[in-house]
Amino acid sequence: MTLAIIGGTGLTQIEDLTIIGQERVSTPFGEPSAPFLIGELSGKKLIFLARHGNPHCIPPHKINYRANIWGLKQLGVTEIIGVAAVGGIGAEMGPAKIAIPDQLIDYSYGREHTFFADDLQHVTHIDFTEPYSPSLRQRIIQAAQQAQIDIASQGTYGCTQGPRLETIAEIKRMANDGCDLVGMTGMPEAALAREQELAYANISVVANWAAGIVEGEITMAEIEKNLHVGMANAIALLKATALFSET
Ligand code: HPA
């Protein structure tokens, strides 16, 4: 088993990762977001990729999700934890909370969202009933329990197109649909990982209450402050999860 972490906003690098090397991979789909860092976390070898590039400058709708997933597969990765900043919709999902979603709804559009498009020998439909790997999720949840890190152990992640934040009406609709969290990068990453038969789970870190859940505008200052706290907990959770991994 080789584990990879894809870090999102607020997690462009992991200071505790001992970097052993880096790999650049060219793919038939173009360039990944950044070089893949090969490193050790909690004494376990893993690969880290900055989803938005390093420095953080690729917006959610411009990320080459296919190149990122293809590159990880080329490097022998078998499981991926995607870390993502989100807005909180559900009552339990306040700022700095960490959640391990078990379902998702995709509201994004216009993204290259499949490997199964051209030159096919047959049409392929992946099963996506459980969009996140149940066994990888369980490992993260157990790690959180052992390390006494407070998490929400389930929730529905809604993926919007961005880069703008949502309107009050959009968040009301998402709440009606059953979304607990709203982010911009969860898809097509999860589906592409499934197409490549990679186990994939998401750690969501709440940066702000989603639009209209509390009064007032959402500010970048607020997002940065909450992410600072939330990502420190997410890193602790990643370290605890790495301890459980085999390599
Ligand atoms: N909406 C969508 N994505 C986000 C948000 C939000 O409120 N906060 C952080 N990422």
Side-chain angles (χ1 to χ4, degrees), residues 174-215:
M174 292 179 77
N176 277 335
D177 286 354
C179 293
D180 302 293
L181 306 159
V182 53
M184 301 174 190
T185 56
M187 282 293 280
E189 196 170 271
L192 292 168
R194 178 66 55 83
E195 286 189 352
Q196 291 297 329
E197 299 179 337
L198 304 175
Y200 180 93
N202 170 279
I203 296 180
S204 283
V205 181
V206 179
N208 54 281
W209 283 113
I213 301 284
V214 292
E215 240 177 79

Side-chain angles (χ1 to χ4, degrees), residues 64-217:
N64 192 337
Y65 295 95
R66 292 197 299 183
N68 290 350
I69 297 296
W70 187 270
L72 290 171
K73 178 88 177 182
Q74 290 308 107
L75 292 174
V77 163
T78 51
E79 39 189 31
I80 299 174
I81 300 176
V83 182
V86 297
I89 300 176
E92 211 195 331
M93 305 300 185
K97 184 83 180 186
I98 291 182
I100 317 300
D102 60 333
Q103 278 297 323
L104 66 81
I105 300 178
D106 188 8
Y107 302 89
S108 71
Y109 49 86
R111 301 181 179 188
E112 294 288 359
H113 66 285
T114 179
F115 292 108
F116 300 134
D118 303 313
D119 304 324
L120 299 179
Q121 252 122 50
H122 53 89
V123 174
T124 305
H125 305 282
I126 52 159
D127 172 69
F128 210 40
T129 310
E130 298 281 356
Y132 302 109
S133 158
S135 60
L136 185 52
R137 287 187 63 256
Q138 275 320 308
R139 236 163 68 215
I140 298 169
I141 292 164
Q142 273 172 15
Q145 277 161 358
Q146 293 226 335
Q148 300 190 325
I149 299 166
D150 176 44
I151 58 160
S153 59
Q154 57 187 29
T156 296
Y157 175 111
C159 185
T160 56
Q161 176 71 352
R164 66 165 177 82
L165 298 170
E166 299 71 33
T167 65
I168 293 175
E170 284 168 338
I171 293 299
K172 275 192 185 147
R173 175 174 81 141
M174 292 179 77
N176 277 335
D177 286 354
C179 293
D180 302 293
L181 306 159
V182 53
M184 301 174 190
T185 56
M187 282 293 280
E189 196 170 271
L192 292 168
R194 178 66 55 83
E195 286 189 352
Q196 291 297 329
E197 299 179 337
L198 304 175
Y200 180 93
N202 170 279
I203 296 180
S204 283
V205 181
V206 179
N208 54 281
W209 283 113
I213 301 284
V214 292
E215 240 177 79
E217 292 181 5

Side-chain angles (χ1 to χ4, degrees), residues 2-6 46-49 72 77-82:
T2 302
L3 177 67
I5 296 168
I6 303 181
L46 55 76
I47 295 179
F48 178 82
L49 176 68
L72 290 171
V77 163
T78 51
E79 39 189 31
I80 299 174
I81 300 176

